[in-house]
Amino acid sequence: MPPQLISARDRAAVLLRRLWVLARLHPWRASLVLPGLVLLYVLLLLPFTPGIADLRKAKSEVPSAVMSADGVVLAEFRRLNRQWVPLKSISSGVVDALIATEDHRFYSHHGIDVRRTAAAVFSTLRGEVQGGSTLTQQLARNLYPEEIGRSISINRKAKEALTALKIEALYSKDEILETYLNTVPFLYNAFGIEMAARTYFDKSAGQLNVQEGATLIGMLKGTSYYNPVQNPERSRERRNVVLAQMVKHGKLDAARAVVLARQPLKLDFERQDVETGPAPHVAQWVKKWLIAWADARGLNIYSDGLVVRTTLNSRLQKAANQALARQLDALQPLADRMRRRGQDKVALQAGFMALDPRSGQVQAWVGSRDFAQEQFDHVSQARRQPGSTFKPFVYGAAFELGMSPQDELIDQQMVLRIPGGGTWSPRDGTPPSGAPMTLRDGLAFSKNTITAQLMMKVGPQRVAQLARAMGVRQSTLDEVPSLALGTSPVTLAEMVAAYGSIANGGRYILPVMVTQVQDRQGKVLQVFAPSVPEQAMSHPQALQLVNVMRGVVDEGTGAAIRGRYGIQADVAGKTGTTQDNTDGWFILMHPQLVAGAWVGFNDSAITMGDGWGPGARSALPMVGEVFQQALRGRWIDPQVEFDIPRQRPQPRPEAQQQQRMPDPFRALGGFLGRLFRGLQ
């Protein structure tokens, strides 16, 4: 290796070996040059120890926080599961046990205990390995495991000692103790004395008694070996050794120590899981984004105390969490009954998203039933067939071509020829009536026969183009006739964004979640302006589509919004159900809020029941409950209406009224109609 490529650390190691040889061959000559060589070695090694700025930063580490628009903390990004507590808030018994056991001359040395180090070297030379690290050296090793390392070598011990000296120069003794006790690991993802106290004894660090403190300090010799949960007797013996050390160094009365040594451990063990917060999937999304943003600016999300301001409404988020949990708790027993004997129960999943269509600001986001059990995000990651919630794009494309909601098509079974070969014959859950039906009713009652005919008139390319312009921009849309019935998988986030475009007069706005980032002092580091709206659909036709979709909730498949939830505000929406009830969807629009929900199983081969699986029964209740609370709480204005007058339902011809008849009568009506036409 060329000399210029040899690192300073390697040169220090070579120098040390030469010094050792010199000391053995020429002891008197070595004694003359030894101080200078040691000084040179230290100077060469010094650049490879943690800097003073790093040490100061370690003490003042502040996690970054994610805030809702109304000032509620949604999440904190901590490096470890740790809560820093000041030394005065830690039981004195813990501090006494630590000093008596680990470093009884702590207050008299300056980072290195020369007597203890010499004794350790002497014992090691005799073949008895013995540790000689002070608390300050242990702190250096705990704070900087990568820079210092844990290998048994002179280089490592030298770096540890140098770092300890720098810590002593920077910190007071109390600061060193405080930092040590707040950074030492205690198993079970508990870092620091506060989390250890909560984990093993269900109390704060300031409430620990002498024997509890001795138990935790005793673990430091080997956390796994002296684990009080797995090895209680071994831990008890180690605790008693700590008590004896406290007596030896005048920290505990001997008689009391005898009494305490007879007592059992008395654990109250409970893992301290990291709190996920009210919007864990949002927190994960923000964390991934923030790491890249902070790295580009030389910042650290775990220590620099950044504050990320988001668009989420904490009240709406809470309502969404509750609505999703309540609905899935009600549906899960029905799903369990469908499983065959011997089959494992499968958890039903759901996703929910709400945004303000005027700005694209996300208001609520629930990615799964339980983040602790399911980190997969059913809002932005899951791609599922949207079923009939995709139909508005077909009708929107038709309106863009000049067709009217009052135009009629015959509700009849047809075999449609597909350009390029093949046929397509979509069906509904009930037989066709054989009667003329307006496009408005075709969408309100989600008629596949009407939508399919309309798709053949408009063309799949136009429908796909409109859907992409409105917001379905990440998923691939197959430009085939069956696209009309929602056969191309999409995400809930895309669908809610697209419905937001409909509610916003045909203007698409890229959904936004982060508004600004601040430093720990509140200084704004960057502001994120909303994206410029794009006119994806003509304004008059978008309003016409809204007006038609009002019929879904006024009298169509989403009528439960009016009847069950009593919502009288100006809203419009669409239900969606895929084949065999694999997916249930519902999306509802208001001028100030658009919200959508999806329900299903992760495995698309598992279907939901006919009685509860359709979107009107599985997904609609979540959206209905959230809208109900939003209107009652005046989080949105119940008096605001879309820019097109509401049309009250008009009396309909008898043939069209059949659409609202109970299924048996509708079937009978359809049969008689076909029979009459046959006789003619």
Side-chain angles (χ1 to χ4, degrees), residues 13 50 55 62 72 133 170 263 282 302-303 320 360 375 377 407 420 466 591 608 621 639 643 652:
L55 294 173
V62 177
V72 174
S133 296
L170 180 67
Q263 295 184 8
V282 170
Y302 302 110
S303 60
Q375 287 82 50
D377 190 350
D407 288 347
L466 178 62
M608 297 182 285
Q639 303 303 320
D643 292 335
R652 301 177 182 278

Side-chain angles (χ1 to χ4, degrees), residues 672-680:
L672 293 176
R674 290 192 298 275
L675 178 62
F676 179 74
R677 288 193 299 275
L679 292 174
Q680 288 180 322

Side-chain angles (χ1 to χ4, degrees), residues 439-453:
L439 298 188
R440 180 185 186 279
D441 286 348
L443 185 57
F445 297 102
S446 201
K447 295 292 290 183
N448 290 342
T449 53
I450 301 298
T451 306
Q453 294 177 63

